[in-house]
């Protein structure tokens, strides 16, 4: 029992020293690489604390080696943009001028349900109001609204205060949600007529579509006509 206590105390001190040397960030700002590193450190330290004493040295060498490699990688990343991009990843544009960039979402392994959740967490319920949306290396979402939709205090403009209802999804990846249309008192005929007004013949062309509380249809196509996609990091 005493031996385990000593091993745990030693592993705790070593882990504390290593994490102080490597540096610290808020959990919400960690990249996936840093997150996995943290899990690995914790796993090695846990084995070091609870395993038999004859394996203590092996775990210690493993922990120190992993710590040294991580420290060196962090130093290299500080001095080299190419290595920083390789280790931490890069920000990726996922909405540009109110249009969802589906290929970039797929690169980030994000589906539409996860992406719309991230938008809602940013108080964005109408993706067409977004000038630019960026998935950061930490996995967080940064959003710039179009200038006409920038937040203004309604009381400053002496406007009538009204509640905002959640937009209802009616098409995802070319498939119509008949149940959601029925909940809104609408039908597939209405939807196809709305799409036809936008010169969309086949619903399979639609990646994502929602209906707002005032029965306005917002549509994002699978193949948006964006010829000049924004790049946040220059090619190295």
């Amino acid at each position: 029992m005493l031996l385990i206590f000593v091993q745990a105390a030693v592993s705790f001190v070593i882990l504390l020293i290593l994490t102080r040397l490597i540096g610290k960030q808020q959990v919400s700002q960690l990249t996936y690489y840093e997150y996995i590193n943290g899990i690995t450190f914790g796993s090695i330290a846990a084995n070091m604390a609870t395993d038999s004493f004859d394996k203590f040295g092996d775990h210690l060498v493993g922990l120190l080696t992993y710590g040294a490699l991580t420290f060196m990688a962090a130093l290299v990343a500080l001095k080299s943009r190419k290595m920083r991009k390789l280790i931490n990843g890069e920000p990726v544009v996922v909405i540009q001028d109110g249009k969802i960039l589906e290929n970039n979402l797929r690169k980030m392994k994000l589906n539409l349900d996860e992406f719309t959740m991230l938008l809602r967490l940013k108080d964005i319920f109408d993706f067409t109001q977004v000038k630019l949306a960026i998935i950061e290396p930490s996995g967080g979402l940064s959003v710039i609204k179009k200038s006409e939709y920038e937040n203004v205090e309604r009381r400053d403009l002496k406007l009538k205060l009204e509640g905002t209802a959640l937009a209802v999804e009616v098409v995802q990846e070319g498939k119509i949600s008949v149940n959601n249309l029925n909940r809104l008192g609408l039908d597939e005929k209405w939807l196809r007529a709305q799409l036809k007004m936008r010169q969309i013949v086949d619903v399979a062309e639609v990646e994502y579509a929602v209906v707002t509380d005032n029965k306005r249809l917002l549509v994002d196509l699978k193949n948006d006509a964006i010829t000049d996609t924004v790049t946040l990091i220059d090619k190295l």
Side-chain angles (χ1 to χ4, degrees), residues 87-129:
I87 293 172
N88 295 330
E90 58 184 320
V92 176
V93 176
V94 286
I95 293 183
Q96 183 175 330
D97 296 324
K99 295 180 179 179
I100 299 172
L101 306 182
E102 294 82 13
N103 288 337
N104 286 357
L105 277 181
R106 293 188 190 100
K107 287 178 185 176
M108 300 300 293
K109 305 297 186 292
L110 267 179
N111 60 48
L112 281 170
D113 292 328
E114 293 167 332
F115 180 53
T116 52
M117 178 190 71
L118 290 175
L119 286 174
R120 291 193 296 272
L121 289 173
K122 289 290 183 179
D123 295 326
I124 302 293
F125 297 91
D126 181 348
F127 63 88
T128 63
Q129 296 180 1

Side-chain angles (χ1 to χ4, degrees), residues 19 49 60 88 150:
T19 51
L60 178 60
N88 295 330
E150 288 290 346

Side-chain angles (χ1 to χ4, degrees), residues 80-86 89-90 231 233-236:
S80 167
R81 289 190 67 203
K82 187 178 289 188
M83 283 301 297
R84 191 156 59 244
K85 179 179 175 181
L86 179 65
E90 58 184 320
T231 302
I233 293 183
D234 55 329
K235 300 297 181 183
L236 299 174

Side-chain angles (χ1 to χ4, degrees), residues 82-216:
K82 187 178 289 188
M83 283 301 297
R84 191 156 59 244
K85 179 179 175 181
L86 179 65
I87 293 172
N88 295 330
E90 58 184 320
V92 176
V93 176
V94 286
I95 293 183
Q96 183 175 330
D97 296 324
K99 295 180 179 179
I100 299 172
L101 306 182
E102 294 82 13
N103 288 337
N104 286 357
L105 277 181
R106 293 188 190 100
K107 287 178 185 176
M108 300 300 293
K109 305 297 186 292
L110 267 179
N111 60 48
L112 281 170
D113 292 328
E114 293 167 332
F115 180 53
T116 52
M117 178 190 71
L118 290 175
L119 286 174
R120 291 193 296 272
L121 289 173
K122 289 290 183 179
D123 295 326
I124 302 293
F125 297 91
D126 181 348
F127 63 88
T128 63
Q129 296 180 1
V130 177
K131 175 69 176 175
L132 210 62
I134 302 160
I135 299 291
E136 304 292 354
S138 64
L141 182 70
S142 300
V143 175
I144 300 173
K145 283 187 174 183
K146 294 177 181 177
S147 56
E148 61 266 34
Y149 296 113
E150 288 290 346
N151 293 337
V152 178
E153 293 288 341
R154 295 178 67 89
R155 68 187 70 184
D156 294 338
L157 302 176
K158 298 181 180 179
L159 297 175
K160 181 181 177 182
L161 299 179
E162 298 176 352
T164 301
L166 185 66
V168 178
E169 177 185 296
V170 291
V171 179
Q172 184 176 137
E173 297 174 350
K175 296 180 180 178
I176 299 173
S177 175
V178 178
N179 288 338
N180 284 354
L181 281 171
N182 292 338
R183 279 173 49 206
L184 296 169
L186 304 172
D187 55 23
E188 193 172 329
K189 184 178 178 181
W190 175 88
L191 176 62
R192 292 187 183 278
Q194 290 290 317
L195 293 175
K196 190 174 181 180
M197 288 170 57
R198 293 166 172 77
Q199 299 181 334
I200 301 170
V201 179
D202 190 351
V203 71
E205 299 175 42
V206 178
E207 177 70 14
Y208 188 64
V210 296
V211 176
T212 64
D213 54 344
N214 58 357
K215 297 295 189 290
R216 188 162 67 98

